[in-house]
């Protein structure tokens, strides 16, 4: 029994150690799988980002091309408007001279009408030039902004491309380590199962022995309790008989003593003359 109990204890300790080693292998496997997943996810994320950023670069390049074309067109329109403005100003100077040196009132009047028309066109051209220059400034700012954005994205793509080799290396190492710990886990699991089966077998035998011992102890306790109960019953019967005897013995002398108490009443009657003596003392007051 003692050797079987020691064997159960040893197998339990062995199972605990096997379970501990199995959990350690599981933990190491999970860590390496996690590293592998993170590396793979990182690579996929970088690829997606790079693809998206390349699309952004392409879109930005298209916008830059369109903005640059718009800016060049506006600059040409401004240049043309400035040329017309210069010609209109020259025409104004010439018309003013015609007005100044005109002799015929009708010619003077026509020149004045022409001058007003020229001044109106000059104001229109000035307004047009200012508006187009304002638009050109906004487009130029957009071109600068998109150029900076394109430059940043291009730089980002280059950095991400450089980080991919290290991620691939990490993923390969973690994958190799994970395969190693898969085999380790399988070995630890087999060891744990083997120890578990041996423990179950020995524990079953140990439990059978314990059950037999408990049944034997239960029977012995039942016999002891029955014997104790019989002895107690016998003792109680003896005490009951003795009590009856004592009760019968006490009742007999109690009757004789009660008959002898009658003369005591006569002595109590002799105390009456004492009251008369107390009555004779009253005249002294």
């Amino acid at each position: 029994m003692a050797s079987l109990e020691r064997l159960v204890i040893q197998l339990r300790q062995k199972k605990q150690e096997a379970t501990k080693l199995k959990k350690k292998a599981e933990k190491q496997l999970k860590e390496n799988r996690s590293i592998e997943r993170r590396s793979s996810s990182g690579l996929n994320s970088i690829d997606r980002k790079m693809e998206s950023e390349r699309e952004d670069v392409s879109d930005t390049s298209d916008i830059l091309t369109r903005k640059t074309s718009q800016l060049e067109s506006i600059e040409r329109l401004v240049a043309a408007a400035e040329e017309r403005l210069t010609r209109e100003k020259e025409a104004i100077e010439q018309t003013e001279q015609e007005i100044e040196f005109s002799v015929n009132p009708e010619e003077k009047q026509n020149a004045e009408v022409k001058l007003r028309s020229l001044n109106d066109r000059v104001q229109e051209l000035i307004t047009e030039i200012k508006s187009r220059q304002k638009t050109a400034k906004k487009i130029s700012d957009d071109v600068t902004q998109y150029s900076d954005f394109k430059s940043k994205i291009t730089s980002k793509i280059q950095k991400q491309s450089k980080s991919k080799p290290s991620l691939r290396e990490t993923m390969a190492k973690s994958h190799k380590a994970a395969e190693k710990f898969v085999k380790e886990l399988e070995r630890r699991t087999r060891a744990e199962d083997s120890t578990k089966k041996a423990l179950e077998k020995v524990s079953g035998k140990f439990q059978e022995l314990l059950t037999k011992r408990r049944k034997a102890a239960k029977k012995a306790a039942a016999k002891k309790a029955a014997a104790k109960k019989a002895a107690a019953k016998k003792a109680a019967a003896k005490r009951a008989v003795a009590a009856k005897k004592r009760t019968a013995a006490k009742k007999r002398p109690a009757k004789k003593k009660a008959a002898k108490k009658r003369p005591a009443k006569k002595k109590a009657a002799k105390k009456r003359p004492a009251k008369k003596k107390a009555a004779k003392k009253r005249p002294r007051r």
Side-chain angles (χ1 to χ4, degrees), residues 149-162:
F149 179 68
K150 181 181 176 181
S151 177
K152 286 179 182 178
I153 293 176
T154 304
S155 177
K156 199 174 180 181
I157 290 171
Q158 291 173 351
K159 287 180 181 178
Q160 288 171 343
S161 297
K162 290 178 181 178

Side-chain angles (χ1 to χ4, degrees), residues 63-127:
I63 293 170
L64 278 171
T65 302
R66 189 168 62 253
K67 292 286 183 181
T68 303
S69 178
Q70 288 176 353
L71 182 62
E72 290 173 353
S73 177
I74 290 171
E75 286 175 348
R76 285 195 298 270
L77 290 172
V78 169
E82 287 176 345
E83 288 178 4
R84 289 200 304 273
L85 179 62
T86 301
R87 289 197 298 270
E88 295 296 339
K89 285 181 178 179
E90 290 175 355
I92 287 171
E93 290 178 359
Q94 185 178 354
T95 304
E96 286 176 347
Q97 289 177 3
E98 288 176 1
I99 292 169
E100 184 178 356
F101 296 106
S102 62
V103 178
N104 190 344
E106 186 178 351
E107 290 179 357
K108 184 177 180 181
Q109 186 178 2
N110 292 333
E112 288 175 349
V113 171
K114 182 180 178 182
L115 180 63
R116 286 195 295 272
S117 178
L118 288 170
N119 283 326
D120 290 340
R121 283 203 296 272
V122 164
Q123 291 301 318
E124 288 176 0
L125 286 170
I126 290 171
T127 303

Side-chain angles (χ1 to χ4, degrees), residues 249-261:
K250 285 179 181 179
K251 284 180 180 179
R252 291 169 191 169
K255 291 178 181 179
K256 293 178 180 180
K257 287 179 181 179
K260 289 179 181 181
K261 287 180 180 178

Side-chain angles (χ1 to χ4, degrees), residues 57 71 91 221 268 282:
V57 169
L71 182 62
R282 290 176 183 171

